[in-house]
Amino acid sequence: MQITRSRILTSFLLLTVLGCSSQEAPEQKQVNLPDVEKPVAEAAPQEDLSLDLSKPEATFATFKTNIHEGKWKAGANCLTEESQASLCGVMIFMSSLTAAFDPESKEGFEALMKKHGAGPDAESPFPGSAPPAAEGSPQNMMRMLGSAIKNKPAFLEDLMAWMSESGGNFDLGKVTDAKLEELKIEGDKATAFVVNDDKRNPIEFQRLNERWKIHLPDELFNMENATGDQAEMQFGEMQDFDDFDFEYAEPDVIPPMEALTAEEYKKAWQVDASLDNQPAGELIKTMAEDCGFELFEAEKFSEAFSKPITLNLEGVSRLQVIESVCEQIGITPRYKLKLLGFKEGKRETPVAFSGPFLMLVESLKEYPPYAAGDLKLQLIVAGVPSTVIGKLQEVTDQSTEEGNLKSTWNIDAITGTGDTDLRIKPESENSYSMMMPQVSLQHAIIDSSISLGNLVRSVTQIESISTTFNYSIPTEILSLTFDKLEKGAVIEEGEIKLTLKQYQTNGGQDANVTVEFMGISNDKLTILAFDADGNLIESSGGGGFWTGEKGTQNEYFQEVPSTLKVQIIAGSESFHESLTLANLPLTQFEKMPEQVQALEFSGKFPVTYEFLSIDEDNGNKVVRYKITNHSNKDISTFSVMNDYLDANDKKLKDFPHTHSGQRNLVPAGETLEFEMTAFFMPEETTKVVINPWTVNFADNTKWEKE
């Protein structure tokens, strides 16, 4: 029973936290929370202020590191309180199944539950018989089960220790594989996608008291198959995958930067390639090796590789050579971290080259009859020094001031037939996306997803996709070393002053470092840690606060360093790569409407909600309500703010809720009934006022309450 328990629990935990999923929303891209002030939890002993939760990507990295290292208490502190309750519920459900059928472990589980304030007296599940959740809908029970636990992070740590002692064998390798992509920040909320092998799942973050935490929405919990050995949860549109899609390679730890002249950089990526009626395969292999790619299942394409070609290219990138050779022999190259794969047939969509960069269309989805679509672009740079890769580990689409050294990928314009503007821009001027490229020592792969609109019937193709990639290389580097690794240590070099404001080690296993800087901008500063042998220690994430040439930078290192250095870019050269794709055909334009509908609705809001009742479902409180779509557009997602009222109509609490589904979740003009679980609804609640907050329409447009 222990082997089955370990497999089920670990699978569900990782899929839930590192890529939550649902079987309900085949076309849903992401879930947006209302931008509201969340209730602040009472002070709890489990809150760990030493964790780097300064920005969403730092929180995600901190969570991954701690879970991978078995530090469940620290990992749980990266979650919102309600998400901690959900995770505790999952653990309780799985563990109580084991205890119910394993008398040897029953006593230990009972003691553990009692220690943390759960058990019969707390109306929480208790071993001895099959838990109530096993008899109904487990996914609706998770938060209720976990809400009885007073100190949730401490409970998770104790429970995992108990399971380990009782023979559990947890394979947590997938934790380190997960990557965060397409981070979008709007105010105190953020959304992103977690990518792990073939799975691509949405994740949310909320900022509470200036600390970003991972939030797991109710809709994403589904455990219908969790009691079987093949627990499988899926989110998003099903795709056809082959062996190449399932391959995975570990990203490389990028070494410290080295100064590089523009001429050295140019010589590194530019090549000449010449063949005169010679087989193509050897040139492909050579170019791939120089870029850090291994050929995947090359034997399947031996016939194509043996074809003779004639080629004469001068001063181009290795990626351009690969694309040109494959074009001649009738195959399409496919790029993944450290892997170069192929498929039969020539590439069906255009590509663009600039410097060492290649831009291509990874996917294009059209949604008739909504005049909408989703475009995913891939940008690859290869055959360049690791110093350049080091500058590309974080990419944003945020506009930066002149002289800023951050790497940015900006979508300048997307136009269709008749110069139609197809790009749907963010509603907020302050919103931006953070892209986390996959990196190796010699190449980086960057993805960007764009919502499209105005795909009316007359738009038969995307005429132009114009983008600009801005980055820099360091031409002069200043390296400063702290003589003492203790709080308050100072380095001064000219106008630059560095102060070690925080240096904390956790049981001699890892370290949390904060450096205050003056006289230098944050984009020119990198904190590095080395062990006693001079080996670079990997950072699990960081963040900071700054204004002008003053601020703080934080890094979380996976080992306790012997040496701490700060690299400062004292000189640099900027590059601007313009990449444009032209004449991308659309395949479903005939099914699109002749024109885009302007949003129309009667009344104050495009939707209204009618509270019906508060009921119970398998011991859970659920709120039943109606939604009426007063607009002329189908709704794919809606968010509300619930006001919980007592019998005297006094407001007890408010709480957000988001419901997502297929693109026509609520068709135009229709009224439908839904229900939402209400785990944190006060007991005195007799009525719920459901207030509209945001509405995402099927055509990729959005309405938001002012």
Side-chain angles (χ1 to χ4, degrees):
M1 184 66 184
Q2 291 170 345
I3 295 175
T4 301
R5 175 195 65 194
S6 300
R7 185 187 304 128
I8 296 169
L9 175 58
T10 305
S11 298
F12 183 77
L13 170 64
L14 299 184
L15 285 170
T16 299
V17 181
L18 296 179
C20 308
S21 57
S22 167
Q23 298 174 339
E24 184 182 279
E27 293 182 332
Q28 181 60 24
K29 291 192 305 176
Q30 62 187 40
V31 180
N32 297 313
L33 288 174
D35 187 6
V36 297
E37 183 177 349
K38 298 276 291 184
V40 178
E42 296 180 3
Q46 66 267 25
E47 184 70 13
D48 186 351
L49 298 178
S50 69
L51 297 176
D52 182 11
L53 309 181
S54 58
K55 55 184 181 179
E57 56 267 39
T59 299
F60 185 71
T62 301
F63 175 79
K64 282 204 310 177
T65 298
N66 283 286
I67 294 300
H68 176 64
E69 295 177 356
K71 299 177 181 177
W72 299 92
K73 184 175 180 180
N77 268 297
C78 299
L79 307 176
T80 60
E81 186 175 358
E82 54 265 38
S83 295
Q84 291 177 18
S86 297
L87 189 52
C88 285
V90 173
M91 296 291 201
I92 293 170
F93 175 64
M94 296 299 184
S95 300
S96 51
L97 278 177
T98 297
F101 296 100
D102 184 1
E104 294 182 4
S105 64
K106 174 182 175 182
E107 184 177 348
F109 183 57
E110 289 180 349
L112 181 62
M113 296 291 286
K114 185 176 181 180
K115 173 184 176 181
H116 288 278
D121 295 338
E123 297 183 357
S124 203
F126 206 78
S129 60
E135 301 170 2
S137 302
Q139 65 269 29
N140 293 328
M141 296 289 289
M142 294 305 103
R143 281 193 185 165
M144 187 198 74
L145 303 188
S147 62
I149 303 298
K150 297 176 181 178
N151 189 329
K152 297 172 182 64
F155 168 75
L156 290 170
E157 189 157 276
D158 285 351
L159 180 61
M160 296 307 295
W162 167 75
M163 296 185 77
S164 179
E165 290 174 1
S166 62
N169 178 22
F170 303 99
D171 177 12
L172 297 177
K174 292 294 183 183
V175 176
T176 56
D177 295 354
K179 293 180 280 294
L180 196 67
E181 293 185 359
E182 300 177 41
L183 177 65
K184 298 180 185 296
I185 300 175
E186 295 186 15
D188 289 337
K189 64 176 181 177
T191 59
F193 285 93
V194 175
V195 179
N196 199 335
D197 287 343
D198 64 309
K199 291 183 171 57
R200 179 181 179 80
N201 300 305
I203 192 171
E204 299 175 2
F205 298 86
Q206 295 178 7
R207 182 160 53 190
L208 307 168
N209 297 328
E210 299 306 317
R211 288 161 65 80
W212 286 93
K213 300 232 178 167
I214 296 170
H215 175 70
L216 309 176
D218 290 342
E219 290 83 3
L220 300 183
F221 283 92
N222 192 318
M223 291 184 59
E224 290 180 358
N225 300 315
T227 55
D229 285 353
Q230 302 297 325
E232 181 177 351
M233 290 156 283
Q234 301 170 341
F235 186 92
E237 187 173 355
M238 292 296 295
Q239 302 180 39
D240 292 327
F241 295 105
D242 57 21
D243 291 342
F244 183 76
D245 294 300
F246 287 96
E247 287 297 309
Y248 175 79
E250 285 285 347
D252 291 328
V253 177
I254 306 302
M257 292 182 293
E258 296 181 356
L260 188 69
T261 68
E263 188 61 28
E264 289 172 334
Y265 173 47
K266 184 177 180 180
K267 288 181 178 179
W269 67 261
Q270 281 191 338
V271 296
D272 299 334
S274 179
L275 287 181
D276 184 9
N277 200 34
Q278 298 176 47
E282 194 59 37
L283 182 56
I284 292 176
K285 182 180 179 182
T286 299
M287 293 296 105
E289 289 177 347
D290 290 347
C291 293
F293 292 114
E294 178 183 347
L295 298 188
F296 180 78
E297 295 186 344
E299 65 279 0
K300 293 184 178 180
F301 299 88
S302 57
E303 182 178 347
F305 289 165
S306 65
K307 291 180 180 179
I309 65 167
T310 297
L311 186 74
N312 187 20
L313 297 173
E314 295 182 356
V316 299
S317 71
R318 294 171 178 84
L319 292 173
Q320 187 167 346
V321 174
I322 291 171
E323 290 284 331
S324 299
V325 174
C326 289
E327 170 75 14
Q328 286 199 40
I329 62 177
I331 62 175
T332 298
R334 307 166 67 188
Y335 303 93
K336 251 185 131 168
L337 187 66
K338 299 184 182 180
L339 293 174
L340 177 61
F342 307 92
K343 65 179 180 180
E344 296 289 349
K346 294 183 179 182
R347 190 180 293 282
E348 297 176 351
T349 54
V351 297
F353 304 100
S354 181
F357 289 82
L358 160 67
M359 185 173 75
L360 55 87
V361 175
E362 186 171 358
S363 65
L364 173 61
K365 297 179 181 179
E366 301 166 55
Y367 303 124
Y370 299 115
D374 286 326
L375 172 69
K376 185 174 181 181
L377 300 176
Q378 192 170 77
L379 187 65
I380 306 157
V381 57
V384 298
S386 62
T387 288
V388 178
I389 300 297
K391 291 293 295 175
L392 305 181
Q393 293 183 89
E394 258 190 23
V395 178
T396 178
D397 65 356
Q398 188 177 30
S399 298
T400 57
E401 64 275 10
E402 188 69 26
N404 191 295
L405 301 186
K406 291 187 178 299
S407 299
T408 64
W409 188 13
N410 301 111
I411 310 300
D412 301 319
I414 302 178
T415 59
T417 305
D419 202 29
T420 307
D421 185 3
L422 303 182
R423 185 184 174 205
I424 293 182
K425 299 178 179 63
E427 294 81 6
S428 170
E429 294 182 0
N430 298 322
S431 65
Y432 63 93
S433 297
M434 183 71 72
M435 292 157 270
M436 309 301 290
Q438 303 174 63
V439 297
S440 80
L441 293 175
Q442 296 168 280
H443 61 256
I445 301 175
I446 312 164
D447 293 321
S448 178
S449 294
I450 304 129
S451 296
L452 301 178
N454 294 325
L455 296 182
V456 293
R457 192 173 306 166
S458 61
V459 177
T460 61
Q461 67 175 5
I462 299 176
E463 291 186 338
S464 177
I465 304 171
S466 303
T467 76
T468 306
F469 194 84
N470 306 298
Y471 64 108
S472 64
I473 63 170
T475 56
E476 183 181 353
I477 294 176
L478 178 65
S479 184
L480 304 176
T481 304
F482 280 100
D483 294 328
K484 296 181 179 180
L485 295 184
E486 58 184 34
K487 183 178 179 180
V490 174
I491 301 176
E492 294 190 73
E493 181 76 22
E495 297 180 353
I496 299 172
K497 181 179 179 181
L498 306 175
T499 304
L500 193 55
K501 297 293 289 185
Q502 178 176 265
Y503 182 75
Q504 294 182 334
T505 60
N506 301 313
Q509 299 297 314
D510 45 46
N512 192 9
V513 172
T514 301
V515 173
E516 181 184 74
F517 57 88
M518 298 180 65
I520 191 76
S521 58
N522 76 296
D523 57 303
K524 298 179 180 179
L525 175 147
T526 304
I527 302 173
L528 302 172
F530 299 87
D531 63 18
D533 296 324
N535 299 314
L536 183 68
I537 299 174
E538 186 174 0
S539 168
S540 296
F545 300 93
W546 56 84
T547 176
E549 295 191 342
K550 180 180 180 180
T552 59
Q553 180 67 31
N554 175 270
E555 292 289 339
Y556 180 84
F557 295 106
Q558 298 181 4
E559 301 175 32
V560 176
S562 295
T563 306
L564 198 64
K565 293 183 179 182
V566 178
Q567 272 193 336
I568 294 173
I569 299 176
S572 64
E573 182 157 345
S574 297
F575 293 84
H576 310 281
E577 311 289 354
S578 295
L579 299 111
T580 300
L581 300 176
N583 303 325
L584 180 61
L586 296 171
T587 61
Q588 301 193 59
F589 62 90
E590 293 180 340
K591 300 178 183 178
M592 294 293 182
E594 292 186 1
Q595 61 183 15
V596 175
Q597 287 184 305
L599 178 62
E600 298 177 357
F601 55 88
S602 58
K604 189 176 181 180
F605 304 121
V607 294
T608 55
Y609 301 91
E610 179 187 350
F611 166 71
L612 298 177
S613 63
I614 298 174
D615 300 318
E616 284 200 8
D617 184 7
N618 292 316
N620 294 322
K621 290 286 183 66
V622 294
V623 175
R624 303 190 190 279
Y625 63 98
K626 288 182 180 180
I627 173 176
T628 299
N629 182 356
H630 298 284
S631 79
N632 58 335
K633 297 186 178 185
D634 292 353
I635 293 172
S636 61
T637 305
F638 58 86
S639 297
V640 300
M641 179 58 65
N642 293 323
D643 290 342
Y644 297 132
L645 309 181
D646 65 12
N648 297 316
D649 285 345
K650 178 183 176 182
K651 182 177 175 180
L652 303 170
K653 184 179 182 180
D654 56 37
F655 209 77
H657 172 79
T658 297
H659 197 107
S660 59
Q662 63 273 19
R663 288 195 169 254
N664 62 342
L665 175 68
V666 186
E670 291 196 12
T671 298
L672 299 177
E673 288 191 16
F674 289 98
E675 65 179 44
M676 66 182 98
T677 53
F679 294 102
F680 299 99
M681 182 172 64
E683 287 295 328
E684 310 95 305
T685 303
T686 60
K687 178 182 178 182
V688 181
V689 176
I690 306 170
N691 302 298
W693 199 266
T694 64
V695 178
N696 291 81
F697 296 103
D699 62 0
N700 283 344
T701 59
K702 180 179 179 180
W703 173 88
E704 189 166 6
K705 183 180 178 182
E706 296 180 356

